[in-house]
Structure formats: structure tokens, C-alpha cells
Amino acid sequence: MKINNNKKKKTSPKEQKVRVAKTIKDSALLLPAILLPLVALAALWVVMVTYESTLLFRVQEFNMFLYTPLFFKQCMVASGGFLVWLGSYFTQYFYHPWIGATFLCLWWALLMWLAKKAFNIPNRWVVTLLIPVALLAIADFQIGYWLFYLKARGYYFTATIGMTIVMALIWAYRSIPPKFFMNTLFIIISTIITYPLFGFYGLLATLGMAIITWRLEGMTIGQRSINTLVALLAIVAIPLVCYRMLYHETNIVNIYWTALPLFRIDKDYYSYYIPFYLLAAFTAIAALLYKKHRQTDVKRVHLWVAIQTLALVALVFATYYFWYKDKNFHTELEINRCVENVDWDGVLDIARDWEDPTRMMWMMKNLALFREGRQGDEMYRYKNGDKRCEAPFMVRLTQTGGKLLYLHYGQTNFCYRWCLEDGVEYGWRVEYYKFMLKCSLLNNEMVVAQKYIDILKKTKYYAKWAEQYEPYTKNAELIKKDKELGPILPMLGQRDVLTSDNTLIEIYLLNLFANDDSNDPVYQEQTLLAALQMKDIGMFWPRFFHYATIHEGKPMPKHYQEAAYLYGHLENNIDISKMPFDKDVVDTYNDFMATAQSYAGMTEEQMKPYMYDRFGGTFYFEYFFTRNQKSY
């Protein structure tokens, strides 16, 4: 008979309280490990969908993903091509901003989970997992007008996916036992495979392996030294071998940085690379601080909570500070979307609230008024301005909205030309194919139009959009009924020549129309409007009288009357005494001149705000007080 001496010891009430307290403290550390990343991602998702939906939609218009083997091969002509292919694939989902934002947040969640596994980050330091996410969010949403100049495809996803691959590879490396140099072999194989697929991020993963080698247990100094040496040789040699054997189109200077964006126009703008430098630094520091066994100090829960809170506040502040928040940039994106949707009222609703508009905003507003037949009455009732775009480089209207303006003013050759040039320079985008399709239809080049339709039919979200134009290629009469293309037809066939605009679209269009004339009422009014805006009296009168002849018996728009009444008094070369001016036009002129005389002792700049309050919506104010505006 066996005697059981392993009797269960009774736990005293004091010991039970200690265990309960420990459990509570452990939970207090575990809770932020679960909730904090989820709350942060939810907050980022809300911000993106609420405040950046128009931007995200524009991002996918500047993207191109074709479901064809040829497109995949084109992506793979340089190292990092598979990453670019993946980034382009996910970017297309920004067509529905909430879907694209969801995919981005899911990638960030995977990144944080892999980073925690790769570097064995304890719960009390869970806030560090948000560092790469914050840097990636800053990298995506700091660029502003770089959106129009970046040549990197799939930019909004490539860095996120790349960093996820880095964390996965480092975790895989430290999970492999050092026996028989298996992890050494993994370094070589992973670099050979990941550099062609992921470019720079494959090399960053190898660098992380070289660093974390010195923190792993069960390895001798010799093994650590060999692994580090092998990793460094792989980083240097494999890109060179790939350059010689596979990637002849890549500049040798850039072979170590493939799949990274280039912020370069006239020069390099290094401040935009900072998030990428910090992502690499995070990887190196996390690898350097790696520990296999980490004990949770439950005695200082409040201290760790305080530290995490402060770190979180710092990350939130940094993300907010570097997030691009220029109001005019977002306004331009909204206006562009309205024009694409032929929502002229939407453009004018936005225009009523702006404070210091850019020239693009001013021109888009004029286009909306012109399409609604109200420009001659209301053009100067909106705030005029020439605010320069908030960017460290010169932003040209040719990139931000010029193609759209050229299309709607019937300059299809210029629209097509800029699409071709920018397609070669910045890479082919959905937007360019859309414009070239419309230009081909308007030019009655139906075979070419069908080619662009066939290309767009290979996309996910623009296949049905392109298919709606297929009947047009067989019956050009349908173009007249199209709500966007139909009103452009009167602007065609006048002076659509291809010369040089010197990237100054506004000046080019004003000179083109002001020096032209037509018997078509729509086109002729545009010539009068151009002469009015140029404040050229000699050009104005012929256009004014021709307009009056064409529209005999119809009311004369206010701004045309104001200009005629003002010019008649300024030069006295034209007898305006018998012209039927509206009473309010005459009264406003007399009131304007009398008020200006009452401010005789003030400079023009001092007088301007007072005069604007009373006469800001008239051509009188525009003629005397709006001067030296710059067009970009």
C-alpha cells in the first residue's frame, strides 16, 4: 500500500491576495498590449476616411494596375518589382477610400504583430509597435503636392508591405537554430530571393539579421562573426550581381535603394526621406535591444503606463504635426473631383468659402461659371488670388489640373500632349488614359479611342467606365449627348494648335482666346472673357461688339457692361452715351469713383480692403486693385 505524501498545501488568505493582485497587474500590462494598437489603427482609419477620402481617391487615379501578364513583367524589370506590383494592386482599392484604408490598416496590424514577434517586445513596451506605423502614416500623408510628381508606383502601400516583409524575415531568421550554419544559409538564400522581389527592404532585413545575431543565445563568437560578415557581403554583392545579370535599366547609383521613392525634381529634397531613415533606424535599434527572455515587472505598472502614455502622446503629436494639412491642396482635390463628375454647382459651392485661392482654383471656378452661362455676371463675385502652392518646389498647373482645363476648353492636342509627356516621365496612370480616351473621341480618332478603352477594361474599377464609351466609337453622334463631352464640341476646330505653353496654362489660354474670334456664340464669349481678364481695352471692344451682335435682344451680362462703361470713361474713344447700360451698373461706377476720391490720402494697398468690402464683386475693383498676379 502506497502512501501519498504529496498533499496539496493550503493557500493562506494573504497569499491569495498577493496572487490576485499579481493577476490584476499582469492584466493591466496585457490590456494596453491588445487595445492600444487597435485603438490607434481605428483612429487612423477614421482620420483617413473622414478627412482624406478625396486624396485617397486621387491617389488611385494616379495609380495603374492591369490584370495582365505583361503588366507584371513590366513591374519586374527592376529589383523590388514584386513589391511595386503588390503596392499598385492594393492602391487601386482607394477607389473606395474606406476599402483602401481598411487594407492599409490591416497591413499595419500585421506589421505590429510581426514586429512584436521578431523582437520579442514585452507588453509594457507595446507603444513601440506604433512607432513604425506612425512613421509610415507620416511618409504617406506628408507628401502633399508630391502626389503629382512622384514616380514611385504604389507608394502608399510599398513601404508598409516592405517593412512587414522585413519583420517576417527577421523573425524567421531568429527562429532557425544555428546548428550546421542553417541560419547562415538562410541569410544568403533570403537575400538572393528578397532583393529582386522587394529591393531595399530585402537588404534592410539582412542588415537586421546581422545586428540581431549578436543578441541571440546559443551562438559562439565565431558563428556571430561569420553570420555578420556573410550578411554584409550579401548586402554589397547581391545587388551588384543582379545589376550585372538582370537589371540593366537600373542606374548603378540606385541599386541599393530600389523600391524607395525618389523625392527629386530640380534637386533632392532630403527632408521627405526622414521617415524612411527612421524606419531603418527602428529596425536596427530593435534588433540591437532584442532579448529572448523578458521578465514583466509588475511592481511598476503605473510607471510603465505613464511612460506609454507619454510616448503615445508624442507619437500622436508627431503624426499630426507632419501630416500635410494645407487647405488649398485639399480644396483643389475636391474641385477636381467635382469637375470630373461634371458637378459645376459643387465647384461653385466650394468657391464661395475659400479665402486665398490658387490660380487653379480660380480657373476651375471660371470654368464652372462658363459651363453654366454665368461667368459674365458672376466671375468677380468670388475671391481672386494667386496663392502659391505649399511646397518646397515650384508646382505647375500642368500637373495639378492643366490637362482637365485643356480638355474642357477644347485644346485636346495640348491635353493629349501633356498626358504623353507625363506618362513617359512619371509612369502611366489611369488619369492619363482617361484623358487620352476622351481626346481621341473628340478628335474622331475612334481606333485610338478603342485602344485606350481596351487598356482600361483590364483594370478593376475602370472597366465599366471605359465600356460606356464603346458605343461612341461606332456612332460619333452620341458624343453630342454626353454631359461632359457634348459642351466641349463648340470649342473644337477653332485654334487647337500644338505650340508651346511654357507650362503657363492660364496665360496661354487667355492669349489664345483673346487674339481669336468666332461666330459660334459659345466660343466667341470665351474670347470676350479672355479679353476682359487681360484688361486689354483694344482687344475688348471688337469682342464686345461682336458679342452684342450675336446676342442681340438678350440681356448683356453685368461684367461686360461694367468694362464697357469703365473703358468708355477712361479713353473716350468709343461713344457709350447711347448704350443701354443697367442703372445699377452706372450707379455702382459713380459710387466707386466717389468713394475712391474720399480715400485720396491713402495708398492703394491701404485703400484696397475698404474698397473690396463695397465693390469686391465688380469689374471696377478688379481693374484698379487686382494687379501683378502670378500664374504658375
Side-chain angles (χ1 to χ4, degrees):
M1 183 176 176
K2 293 183 179 180
I3 300 174
N4 186 4
N5 293 322
N6 297 324
K7 292 184 178 179
K8 199 171 182 180
K9 294 183 180 180
K10 292 184 178 181
T11 306
S12 66
K14 185 176 181 181
E15 288 176 331
Q16 288 179 347
K17 289 181 180 180
V18 171
R19 287 186 181 180
V20 170
K22 185 178 183 299
T23 302
I24 293 173
K25 290 181 179 180
D26 284 338
S27 301
L29 284 173
L30 182 61
L31 192 62
I34 299 173
L35 291 183
L36 188 58
L38 295 178
V39 171
L41 290 179
L44 282 170
W45 187 90
V46 170
V47 170
M48 286 189 288
V49 173
T50 304
Y51 299 105
E52 301 292 357
S53 285
T54 307
L55 169 63
L56 296 180
F57 183 86
R58 194 77 169 124
V59 166
Q60 63 81 32
E61 282 191 313
F62 275 58
N63 183 61
M64 172 61 73
F65 185 88
L66 299 175
Y67 288 82
T68 64
L70 179 60
F71 178 75
F72 180 77
K73 292 177 181 178
Q74 289 174 335
C75 289
M76 298 301 291
V77 297
S79 60
F82 185 68
L83 179 60
V84 170
W85 184 83
L86 278 176
S88 300
Y89 171 79
F90 283 103
T91 299
Q92 68 181 333
Y93 288 101
F94 283 134
Y95 184 89
H96 299 294
W98 72 271
I99 296 179
T102 300
F103 275 124
L104 191 56
C105 288
L106 288 174
W107 273 107
W108 285 340
L110 178 60
L111 170 63
M112 287 191 287
W113 182 76
L114 288 171
K116 183 172 174 55
K117 292 292 185 180
F119 302 117
N120 196 26
I121 295 175
N123 292 336
R124 67 176 180 271
W125 287 116
V126 69
V127 72
T128 58
L129 297 174
L130 295 175
I131 293 175
V133 172
L135 292 172
L136 288 166
I138 291 171
D140 282 351
F141 294 98
Q142 70 165 342
I143 60 174
Y145 284 97
W146 274 110
L147 170 68
F148 302 100
Y149 292 89
L150 271 181
K151 300 178 182 180
R153 293 182 178 180
Y155 172 82
Y156 275 70
F157 275 93
T158 50
T160 294
I161 299 173
M163 287 302 297
T164 304
I165 298 300
V166 170
M167 299 305 161
L169 290 171
I170 293 175
W171 182 26
Y173 169 73
R174 75 168 186 82
S175 302
I176 296 174
K179 292 181 180 181
F180 310 114
F181 293 98
M182 292 175 62
N183 53 9
T184 309
L185 185 62
F186 179 80
I187 291 175
I188 299 171
I189 294 175
S190 68
T191 309
I192 291 174
I193 294 174
T194 58
Y195 173 72
L197 296 178
F198 304 105
F200 164 80
Y201 296 97
L203 302 181
L204 179 59
T206 305
L207 178 63
M209 296 176 203
I211 296 173
I212 205 171
T213 292
W214 295 91
R215 304 294 296 176
L216 298 178
E217 297 178 358
M219 297 180 66
T220 65
I221 294 295
Q223 288 175 318
R224 299 181 200 276
S225 301
I226 290 172
N227 282 9
T228 301
L229 181 61
V230 167
L232 295 178
L233 287 175
I235 290 172
V236 174
I238 289 175
L240 286 172
V241 173
C242 290
Y243 169 73
R244 297 295 180 186
M245 298 181 64
L246 298 174
Y247 306 121
H248 308 295
E249 297 181 8
T250 304
N251 192 320
I252 193 171
V253 177
N254 300 322
I255 60 174
Y256 296 104
W257 319 110
T258 53
L260 285 178
L262 289 176
F263 295 100
R264 180 187 301 157
I265 300 180
D266 53 333
K267 63 178 183 179
D268 281 303
Y269 293 87
Y270 292 103
S271 62
Y272 291 90
Y273 295 107
I274 291 177
F276 300 93
Y277 297 149
L278 294 179
L279 284 168
F282 171 83
T283 304
I285 294 171
L288 194 61
L289 298 178
Y290 168 80
K291 286 183 181 180
K292 184 176 181 180
H293 301 289
R294 298 179 185 267
Q295 293 182 352
T296 302
D297 186 357
V298 296
K299 296 180 180 179
R300 299 182 178 180
V301 173
H302 298 297
L303 176 62
W304 295 124
V305 170
I307 292 173
Q308 290 200 84
T309 301
L310 290 174
L312 180 62
V313 170
L315 286 174
V316 170
F317 175 78
T319 305
Y320 174 80
Y321 181 81
F322 291 104
W323 199 290
Y324 191 76
K325 299 180 287 292
D326 179 49
K327 186 175 181 180
N328 277 353
F329 172 71
H330 291 84
T331 300
E332 287 185 353
L333 295 177
E334 291 173 9
I335 289 176
N336 190 286
R337 184 77 182 275
C338 288
V339 174
E340 285 185 341
N341 293 332
V342 199
D343 181 10
W344 306 121
D345 289 334
V347 175
L348 299 177
D349 288 341
I350 295 171
R352 290 186 184 95
D353 297 327
W354 66 39
E355 298 175 0
D356 193 5
T358 63
R359 294 314 293 168
M360 175 189 164
M361 294 160 63
W362 172 258
M363 292 186 70
M364 291 293 188
K365 178 268 303 177
N366 284 347
L367 174 62
L369 288 172
F370 179 60
R371 280 285 176 264
E372 299 220 320
R374 296 156 51 189
Q375 191 172 354
D377 284 306
E378 302 178 26
M379 177 166 57
Y380 297 118
R381 295 182 185 178
Y382 298 82
K383 189 72 176 289
N384 199 347
D386 59 351
K387 179 74 178 294
R388 179 172 173 171
C389 297
E390 292 290 338
F393 51 89
M394 181 62 71
V395 178
R396 296 295 185 184
L397 187 57
T398 49
Q399 264 66 47
T400 58
K403 303 173 188 68
L404 192 58
L405 288 165
Y406 273 140
L407 175 70
H408 278 276
Y409 283 116
Q411 302 299 301
T412 54
N413 284 334
F414 262 109
C415 177
Y416 197 94
R417 168 260 179 112
W418 277 114
C419 287
L420 284 176
E421 289 194 13
D422 288 349
V424 173
E425 179 70 17
Y426 302 108
W428 292 104
R429 303 167 175 177
V430 167
E431 181 186 68
Y432 300 162
Y433 284 119
K434 289 170 63 180
F435 280 132
M436 291 191 291
L437 166 57
K438 293 174 183 178
C439 289
S440 300
L441 290 172
L442 290 168
N443 290 340
N444 201 31
E445 298 168 342
M446 300 308 179
V447 176
V448 180
Q450 186 63 50
K451 179 181 74 172
Y452 296 129
I453 290 172
D454 291 340
I455 292 173
L456 290 170
K457 283 167 70 174
K458 294 179 176 65
T459 64
K460 183 177 182 65
Y461 288 109
Y462 289 93
K464 290 183 178 179
W465 181 91
E467 287 172 357
Q468 70 176 321
Y469 290 105
E470 276 194 298
Y472 295 18
T473 63
K474 299 175 179 63
N475 183 5
E477 290 297 312
L478 295 175
I479 298 175
K480 297 178 181 179
K481 301 176 182 179
D482 188 273
K483 67 176 182 178
E484 179 184 23
L485 301 182
I488 299 174
L489 291 174
M491 308 299 292
L492 301 175
Q494 304 288 335
R495 289 183 61 190
D496 185 13
V497 294
L498 188 58
T499 55
S500 175
D501 59 5
N502 294 315
T503 73
L504 299 175
I505 294 176
E506 181 181 20
I507 293 173
Y508 174 81
L509 287 175
L510 289 176
N511 278 291
L512 174 76
F513 288 123
N515 286 283
D516 201 5
D517 203 356
S518 173
N519 288 321
D520 182 271
V522 176
Y523 189 92
Q524 198 281 329
E525 182 172 14
Q526 190 54 233
T527 67
L528 173 57
L529 285 164
L532 184 72
Q533 292 179 75
M534 293 184 72
K535 303 177 184 178
D536 190 310
I537 299 176
M539 287 182 174
F540 171 80
W541 285 119
R543 310 291 175 267
F544 176 78
F545 288 127
H546 193 183
Y547 179 90
T549 301
I550 294 176
H551 296 84
E552 187 175 0
K554 297 180 181 179
M556 179 67 71
K558 283 286 189 289
H559 293 321
Y560 306 159
Q561 291 190 56
E562 291 168 345
Y565 197 76
L566 174 63
Y567 291 160
H569 283 82
L570 287 178
E571 291 197 335
N572 295 316
N573 292 330
I574 302 293
D575 183 10
I576 62 171
S577 61
K578 297 181 181 179
M579 294 183 184
F581 293 103
D582 293 347
K583 184 176 184 301
D584 63 328
V585 171
V586 177
D587 292 343
T588 302
Y589 172 82
N590 293 330
D591 192 14
F592 180 91
M593 290 302 177
T595 304
Q597 287 295 323
S598 68
Y599 294 133
M602 301 172 65
T603 64
E604 186 175 298
E605 285 302 313
Q606 291 173 331
M607 192 188 307
K608 187 174 180 178
Y610 300 104
M611 296 295 287
Y612 182 80
D613 288 342
R614 293 186 60 182
F615 307 102
T618 66
F619 178 73
Y620 308 133
F621 178 89
E622 186 71 14
Y623 184 83
F624 288 106
F625 290 98
T626 303
R627 304 175 184 272
N628 303 318
Q629 285 190 316
K630 296 180 180 180
S631 187
Y632 301 102

